[in-house]
Amino acid sequence: MRRPLLAVVLLAFVLLQGCGDNTGRPDASPNVPIDGPVAEEVVCEMLPPVTSGTCEVTPGGSTVVMKGIVLTPTTIYRGGQVAVDATGQISCVGCNCATGGETVVSCPDGAISPGLINTHDHITYTQNQPYNDTGIRYEHRHQWRRGDGPTRPKIPAEGRATDDQIRWGELRFLMGGATSIIGSGGQPGILRNLDTASQEGLSQTPVKFDVFPLDDGGGARRMGDCNYGADATTAAQIANVDSYEPHTSEGIDPTARNEFLCQSSDSFDVSAPGVSNNLLLGKTAMIHAIGLQPSDLGAMAAAGTGLIWSPRSNITLYGDTARVTTASRMGVEIALGTDWMPTGSMNLLRELRCADDLNKTYYNSHFSDVQLWQMVTSTAAAVSATDHVIGVRAGGKVAPNALFRARSPIILPRGD
């Protein structure tokens, strides 16, 4: 079995271009922002500067101790340590992990994070150049998928990617610090594909990734009923999965919201009598959810259903995105995903930059830096039911780590 040890990514942790001019509606009140979690800072030791580059390696045994700025949800350890044993498991996080004889990787200006988790992409789809934004905005995904007259033309991006294109896509994410992805398939050997059995030794129950949970791939849009297709996903069909990700309400018009109503209420049953289509479950994390109202988000919170947010693609296609501050206030867990190359982000750093830009410009800094970071680490692991093995730097979890050259002062994951 492959040894999932250290996927080390060396690059400046400078988030790239924001969402651009298509920033959608403000979704936050002008009140004082809600205070998110702020990480405590602990100074373990002052690491001596390296001769060149970001890190220096002192060879030793099969256990590897990384030294640097260790990021956890509650604490920043400056001059901290992460020990990874020969099996690829984290054995220690804190100030005093080295016991002698280990291979030491010292990175005084390196921020050591869990490998980032991309909870939504279509990596097996076309991996061509990014979409050239024409300024056209759509009201529902079926309009750009299939075309809806001259004012809502089809986006010419259909087709399955080749195996080499998929590998290139995975490498693109890896170079941005991601080590796991839910991408509607993938290729073995680079990322952990959490929705397949190709998880590079992780061996978790694959996430159920559902593009057309209402069997509406033919373009059906409904109002007041659920007569989409004959093979809509039922609760019984996902009984044996630990994490379920359906595309839900990708659009801004009433037909988009109708999809949520059909996925969240037995009163909209379209199957045989007694068969539930209610997918609002604790194992569910709904992708996009742009068309939802506050009451819908409240129902998600009550059920423990998460939300997977893809702001760049949403705003490019619809001029709008999910009501994430409302969802956050109600207690919905929010993870981040890139969606796809044509209208989304090329990697998670770019998607984080987009989310950060929206947060500061339109959301009154509702989300703290640590919350944004958690959207691609611990919360991403929680909604994919992998938080017992990845997503947090802690003993017993599985490596790899992502290493970023930190700014000075470091921005992530402090909340101020």
Side-chain angles (χ1 to χ4, degrees):
M1 183 177 66
R2 168 184 298 232
R3 181 183 178 194
L5 189 56
L6 300 175
V8 178
V9 183
L10 298 175
L11 68 163
F13 201 44
V14 177
L15 302 180
L16 304 178
Q17 177 183 348
C19 293
D21 295 330
N22 309 316
T23 43
R25 66 161 194 276
D27 189 28
S29 66
N31 299 326
V32 175
I34 295 174
D35 290 332
V38 178
E40 176 190 7
E41 185 171 327
V42 173
V43 178
C44 298
E45 65 174 312
M46 299 300 295
L47 298 175
V50 297
T51 304
S52 63
T54 302
C55 301
E56 286 184 346
V57 178
T58 302
S62 59
T63 294
V64 176
V65 173
M66 296 188 69
K67 295 184 177 182
I69 306 167
V70 179
L71 307 181
T72 77
T74 58
T75 308
I76 299 172
Y77 295 98
R78 292 188 179 272
Q81 302 178 7
V82 178
V84 181
D85 67 21
T87 68
Q89 283 201 327
I90 297 170
S91 56
C92 175
V93 176
C95 289
N96 300 298
C97 294
T99 59
E102 303 92 348
T103 294
V104 176
V105 182
S106 181
C107 313
D109 297 320
I112 303 170
S113 167
L116 308 186
I117 303 168
N118 188 350
T119 53
H120 173 224
D121 197 87
H122 296 268
I123 201 166
T124 55
Y125 215 52
T126 302
Q127 296 289 318
N128 294 329
Q129 300 182 54
Y131 170 58
N132 182 21
D133 189 357
T134 62
I136 295 173
R137 300 292 174 259
Y138 299 85
E139 295 179 343
H140 193 279
R141 67 170 171 165
H142 291 327
Q143 292 178 316
W144 61 259
R145 285 186 59 244
R146 303 174 62 85
D148 190 21
T151 61
R152 299 289 189 274
K154 177 180 175 179
I155 293 179
E158 302 253 354
R160 179 177 171 84
T162 67
D163 289 351
D164 282 346
Q165 286 176 325
I166 296 168
R167 293 185 189 101
W168 164 243
E170 293 200 7
L171 181 61
R172 186 178 73 238
F173 287 120
L174 180 69
M175 295 305 295
T179 55
S180 300
I181 189 170
I182 300 165
S184 191
Q187 286 289 307
I190 302 179
L191 298 181
R192 288 183 168 125
N193 303 112
L194 299 180
D195 56 328
T196 76
S198 179
Q199 298 178 13
E200 308 304 319
L202 203 60
S203 302
Q204 300 299 295
T205 302
V207 174
K208 171 65 174 174
F209 185 89
D210 201 345
V211 182
F212 300 112
L214 294 167
D215 192 23
D216 60 328
R221 297 165 66 188
R222 307 297 302 173
M223 280 290 297
D225 65 56
C226 298
N227 298 325
Y228 291 96
D231 194 25
T233 301
T234 68
Q237 290 172 332
I238 60 172
N240 294 326
V241 304
D242 296 330
S243 173
Y244 174 59
E245 289 192 7
H247 284 61
T248 303
S249 295
E250 187 181 346
I252 60 175
D253 68 357
T255 67
R257 182 174 183 242
N258 194 69
E259 295 173 7
F260 172 81
L261 298 176
C262 291
Q263 293 176 49
S264 62
S265 173
D266 289 324
S267 65
F268 280 82
D269 188 10
V270 296
S271 302
V275 177
S276 173
N277 291 95
N278 189 347
L279 306 177
L280 209 61
L281 305 167
K283 67 175 67 179
T284 300
M286 291 181 162
I287 300 170
H288 298 306
I290 307 166
L292 272 58
Q293 298 298 317
S295 59
D296 306 328
L297 297 169
M300 289 178 64
T305 298
L307 187 155
I308 295 175
W309 184 32
S310 298
R312 185 183 301 279
S313 186
N314 292 168
I315 290 167
T316 299
L317 291 170
Y318 312 105
D320 205 349
T321 191
R323 292 176 168 84
V324 287
T325 59
T326 302
S328 171
R329 289 186 176 99
M330 291 183 171
V332 176
E333 287 189 307
I334 302 170
L336 209 60
T338 51
D339 195 12
W340 66 331
M341 186 67 173
T343 61
S345 294
M346 69 174 295
N347 60 35
L348 274 177
L349 293 185
R350 185 166 163 81
E351 195 69 21
L352 273 168
R353 180 62 184 90
C354 178
D356 183 60
D357 183 65
L358 280 172
N359 185 49
K360 288 182 170 63
T361 305
Y362 287 95
Y363 301 163
N364 201 22
S365 295
H366 171 89
F367 297 106
S368 68
D369 289 340
V370 67
Q371 286 174 306
L372 292 173
W373 175 68
Q374 287 175 317
M375 289 181 188
V376 294
T377 54
S378 58
T379 304
V383 302
S384 59
T386 57
D387 50 329
H388 59 296
V389 284
I390 59 174
V392 177
R393 299 298 80 195
K397 305 288 185 178
V398 178
N401 302 306
L403 175 66
F404 301 93
R405 186 181 300 120
R407 295 182 187 183
S408 183
I410 187 171
I411 299 298
L412 215 62
R414 293 184 62 82
D416 49 19

